[in-house]
Amino acid sequence: MKIIFALLIIVFLAFSGYHLTFRGFKLPLFAREFYLKGTEFLFLGLILGPSFLNLLDTETMRGLEPVGALVLGWIGLLFGFQFEITRLRRFPLDFFTAALLESLLTFAVVFWSVYLTLPMITDISGTMRLVVSLTLSAAAACTAQTGVALLTPDFTERHGKTVGILRYVSSIDGLSALVIFAVVFFFKEPSISGFYWIGDLAMGTVFSFVISMGLVFLYIIFIASHRDEKELALVVIAMAVLTSGIASLLHFSPLVTNFFVGFCLVNFCRRKERLFKIFVGVEKPVYLLLLVFLGASWTLDSPWLIVLAALYCLCRFGGKLFGGFLVTRLNPELRSYPPHIGFGLLDQGGLPLAILFDFQRGISCDIAAGVISLVLLAVIYNEFLGPYLLVRLLKEAK
């Protein structure tokens, strides 16, 4: 009974909060970013969690796992729909390689920082040390367009060239992060000593690919015939539930599986525009549900988390700055852009939060609560720091 009551409460909060959040009020830039991203729902989840009201306790969250899997699956489908090959070809290849290189450099900086630091903080096995490092670095590699979207039209128009590459990089660099995060699910159980993990990785990749292609085939069959909007929405929801459920049963990532399905649909399905309208129609309530779930797992029981989150945020800032500097200096076609373009790539957005929630659901780890709390604090730090550095970048850009 408590599970049903908790589900009704969080669904009501998500759909009612959607009409209050994401509205443009006259607030300072950092406050608008904080409010328009729905960050207050993290604190709402914290209040509903074990630390306060205990409505979303451990047992209740376990009962709500199918809902959590569906939330991740929906986000994965929507993110996969961003990568339509015909549209990506309209942009220069230099932009695409710059986005991937910047993301991978950020990943490398954060990965080695976390990997070398973890043994000094906690007693952790070699496999779990790698899993946590991959998760934190994948979350750090993502960038969102929120800061750019909150700028005034006049300011954006004056700096259209720099804003254009920031938007492109922000929409692309999550690709490498999601691919890297998928590797986590192949390393979570077995030992990675020797070369046996290479065979496990290859077999797991092939198996996941076959399952995903089968689901894509089912999707295309159901969608091929003409259906009205209600029938099509029902088919999409049913397939999202099926895909997320199969991924959960196989102890794999609903986020990654549905991303691959979404990528295939947007490139091979003729009704992609209608599908996208359905996916994006409930994007914001789904995002708010994600924030509530994460907030319920948020623990602030150690002051050291504040310090560690600041260090993690600093490593990510260094990776973005270093990656942006290299891609603009090494590529002659991008040298007209400011070398400190990383100032505009600090917003993390919803994808790293989805990665974090997927990690919590799929990986059994003693320090999972600490990892979640650390990244959530770092996201909040970036929300205060990102807008000012973005404005500074654009003011100094040509």
Side-chain angles (χ1 to χ4, degrees), residues 102-148:
E102 175 273 324
S103 178
L104 291 173
L105 287 172
T106 303
F107 165 81
V109 170
V110 177
F111 175 82
W112 287 112
S113 299
V114 174
Y115 189 79
L116 297 175
T117 305
L118 271 177
M120 306 176 190
I121 301 173
T122 183
D123 185 18
I124 188 170
S125 66
T127 302
M128 198 53 60
R129 178 184 176 188
L130 178 61
V131 166
V132 172
S133 300
L134 285 171
T135 301
L136 289 175
S137 52
C142 303
T143 309
Q145 301 185 31
T146 311
V148 175

Side-chain angles (χ1 to χ4, degrees), residues 84-289:
E84 186 177 356
I85 295 176
T86 55
R87 292 188 178 182
L88 292 177
R89 286 178 178 174
R90 299 174 186 174
F91 296 90
L93 182 60
D94 295 322
F95 277 25
F96 185 77
T97 55
L100 290 183
L101 181 59
E102 175 273 324
S103 178
L104 291 173
L105 287 172
T106 303
F107 165 81
V109 170
V110 177
F111 175 82
W112 287 112
S113 299
V114 174
Y115 189 79
L116 297 175
T117 305
L118 271 177
M120 306 176 190
I121 301 173
T122 183
D123 185 18
I124 188 170
S125 66
T127 302
M128 198 53 60
R129 178 184 176 188
L130 178 61
V131 166
V132 172
S133 300
L134 285 171
T135 301
L136 289 175
S137 52
C142 303
T143 309
Q145 301 185 31
T146 311
V148 175
L150 294 179
L151 296 173
T152 61
D154 292 341
F155 194 78
T156 303
E157 187 176 352
R158 289 199 306 269
H159 306 281
K161 184 178 179 181
T162 303
V163 168
I165 192 172
L166 288 175
R167 284 176 172 166
Y168 185 85
V169 171
S170 299
S171 62
I172 294 296
D173 63 1
L175 175 62
S176 57
L178 209 55
V179 171
I180 291 167
F181 177 66
V183 179
V184 167
F185 287 84
F186 298 113
F187 287 157
K188 63 179 183 177
E189 295 294 343
S191 170
I192 59 171
S193 60
F195 294 97
Y196 296 105
W197 65 270
I198 298 177
D200 293 336
L201 177 61
M203 289 295 297
T205 303
V206 172
F207 183 70
S208 301
F209 177 79
V210 171
I211 293 292
S212 298
M213 289 305 299
L215 292 170
V216 170
F217 182 68
L218 283 177
Y219 250 125
I220 293 176
I221 288 178
F222 282 118
I223 296 170
S225 59
H226 180 73
R227 303 178 187 274
D228 60 32
E229 295 298 326
K230 293 182 179 179
E231 290 179 339
L232 187 60
L234 186 61
V235 169
V236 168
I237 293 172
M239 290 301 299
V241 171
L242 177 63
T243 307
S244 303
I246 290 176
S248 298
L249 287 174
L250 296 176
H251 304 289
F252 195 66
S253 165
L255 177 66
V256 176
T257 303
N258 281 277
F259 163 75
F260 180 78
V261 172
F263 172 80
C264 292
L265 287 177
V266 77
N267 287 287
F268 302 122
C269 181
R270 291 181 296 176
R271 306 182 189 276
K272 54 192 172 188
E273 289 82 7
R274 295 178 65 193
L275 290 177
F276 181 74
K277 289 181 180 179
I278 296 173
F279 291 140
V280 81
V282 292
E283 172 195 9
K284 293 173 182 177
V286 166
Y287 173 63
L288 295 180
L289 278 175

Side-chain angles (χ1 to χ4, degrees), residues 98 101 165 321-342:
L101 181 59
I165 192 172
L321 195 60
F322 177 63
F325 176 81
L326 282 186
V327 298
T328 54
R329 299 306 97 183
L330 294 180
N331 191 332
E333 299 296 328
L334 301 178
R335 286 183 182 173
S336 59
Y337 294 96
H340 50 290
I341 200 170

Side-chain angles (χ1 to χ4, degrees), residues 59-97:
E59 183 178 351
T60 303
M61 289 295 291
R62 190 178 298 116
L64 292 173
E65 281 190 359
V67 180
L70 179 59
V71 167
L72 289 171
W74 203 270
I75 294 173
L77 284 169
L78 192 57
F79 186 68
F81 256 70
Q82 295 184 21
F83 294 90
E84 186 177 356
I85 295 176
T86 55
R87 292 188 178 182
L88 292 177
R89 286 178 178 174
R90 299 174 186 174
F91 296 90
L93 182 60
D94 295 322
F95 277 25
F96 185 77
T97 55

